[in-house]
Amino acid sequence: MKNFPYSENELLEIASDFKKHLKDHFDAIKKFCPGLTQEFIYKFKALFYEVQTHPLEPEADPVVKEYEVALDDLASQLNSLFPIFRFYMQKAFPYDSNLWEAYQYCEIEKVMHEYSTLRKCLEGSVKIIDDKRTELRAANCPNPTLNEIVDLSKQISDKHEEYLEYLRNKEFKVKVYQNNLNELFKLMKMVHDAASKCFQNNPEYLKKLTFPPRQTTPQN
């Protein structure tokens, strides 16, 4: 959560101006804030460059879209095999509907885009294939079809894990970025407060190292 009243672009523009003028006026303003040491300048510049050079990915993240397209394609391939699987399941176990429902394999059409649920469904289907392959083969179920279901299920599981890892990393980067912005604003506030005291009678210098006034929307 951000703790500054500006947009990210606005904050970076102001920070860029501060960075430009900070060194020239640092000796004057540091008397008004004990936290303004030489290390402060290094920290300020390093934080500014970190935020500036590592912007967030856009909201419409193309990588997320690529993962979703890949997962949907794998799920679609699997879905085309399940009518065959269902046919031979019913042929091999005509009176054992509980076996079919136990792992919800027949619900795949409803959860194709709910990847976590789809994976659980497929785990059950693969378990059936592992446990009942002999019976399915005796009912003439094509072995390549069973193997393909197992293989595609593994591909979906692996791709979904990659997707979740990407989302976790992205969430972590967002938190780091937001924390850096908040810390940058905190340092800028120190400069602003010190400059406000130091240059209260010098409007030209005051403008260079203080926050610009916020524009307000006129009330009707």
Side-chain angles (χ1 to χ4, degrees):
M1 182 177 182
K2 74 175 188 178
N3 62 4
F4 48 88
Y6 304 95
S7 71
E8 293 170 13
N9 287 337
E10 287 174 334
L11 188 70
L12 287 176
E13 286 180 10
I14 299 168
S16 180
D17 287 338
F18 276 25
K19 182 178 68 68
K20 190 185 304 180
H21 301 293
L22 185 58
K23 187 176 180 180
D24 292 339
H25 301 287
F26 191 74
D27 287 339
I29 67 172
K30 70 180 182 181
K31 303 170 187 176
F32 295 86
C33 178
L36 297 181
T37 63
Q38 190 60 40
E39 288 74 21
F40 177 93
I41 296 180
Y42 300 139
K43 183 177 181 181
F44 181 90
K45 289 183 176 180
L47 201 53
F48 172 76
Y49 285 123
E50 176 65 24
V51 172
Q52 187 183 48
T53 56
H54 294 91
L56 292 180
E57 292 92 350
E59 278 191 33
D61 186 347
V63 177
V64 169
K65 186 64 178 177
E66 286 174 13
Y67 274 114
E68 291 177 347
V69 168
L71 284 164
D72 287 348
D73 178 61
L74 291 170
S76 179
Q77 291 180 57
L78 257 173
N79 193 41
S80 68
L81 296 173
F82 264 72
I84 303 171
F85 185 36
R86 181 181 295 113
F87 172 79
Y88 285 104
M89 276 290 295
Q90 293 172 347
K91 185 178 178 182
F93 307 100
Y95 307 110
D96 197 352
S97 60
N98 289 333
L99 178 63
W100 319 336
E101 295 173 1
Y103 302 105
Q104 299 180 319
Y105 88 94
C106 54
E107 297 295 320
I108 186 173
E109 298 92 341
K110 298 180 181 179
V111 297
M112 281 183 61
H113 306 294
E114 300 170 17
Y115 307 124
S116 294
T117 306
L118 175 61
R119 284 177 63 181
K120 291 180 181 178
C121 175
L122 294 176
E123 285 172 9
S125 299
V126 170
K127 189 175 190 312
I128 289 177
I129 292 172
D130 289 342
D131 293 346
K132 306 295 183 181
R133 186 181 288 261
T134 300
E135 291 89 336
L136 289 166
R137 292 292 294 119
N140 296 318
C141 181
N143 205 45
T145 298
L146 298 178
N147 291 338
E148 195 169 356
I149 290 173
V150 172
D151 180 61
L152 286 170
S153 298
K154 184 178 186 307
Q155 288 186 55
I156 286 178
S157 181
D158 291 345
K159 183 62 69 174
H160 188 235
E161 281 301 320
E162 287 180 22
Y163 180 39
L164 293 177
E165 182 65 18
Y166 177 81
L167 293 179
R168 285 192 290 267
N169 288 336
K170 183 175 180 178
E171 183 181 5
F172 176 75
K173 289 178 182 177
V174 169
K175 289 180 180 178
V176 170
Y177 182 78
Q178 193 64 65
N179 288 339
N180 285 340
L181 283 175
N182 289 337
E183 183 63 20
L184 181 63
F185 175 73
K186 181 180 175 181
L187 299 184
M188 293 169 67
K189 182 72 166 51
M190 291 170 64
V191 172
H192 169 89
D193 291 345
S196 297
K197 296 174 183 176
C198 181
F199 300 130
Q200 54 183 319
N201 297 319
N202 190 329
E204 181 184 350
Y205 288 176
L206 188 65
K207 184 178 180 181
K208 294 176 180 178
L209 291 172
T210 56
F211 293 117
R214 295 287 293 156
Q215 294 184 351
T216 56
T217 303
Q219 299 294 320
N220 293 329

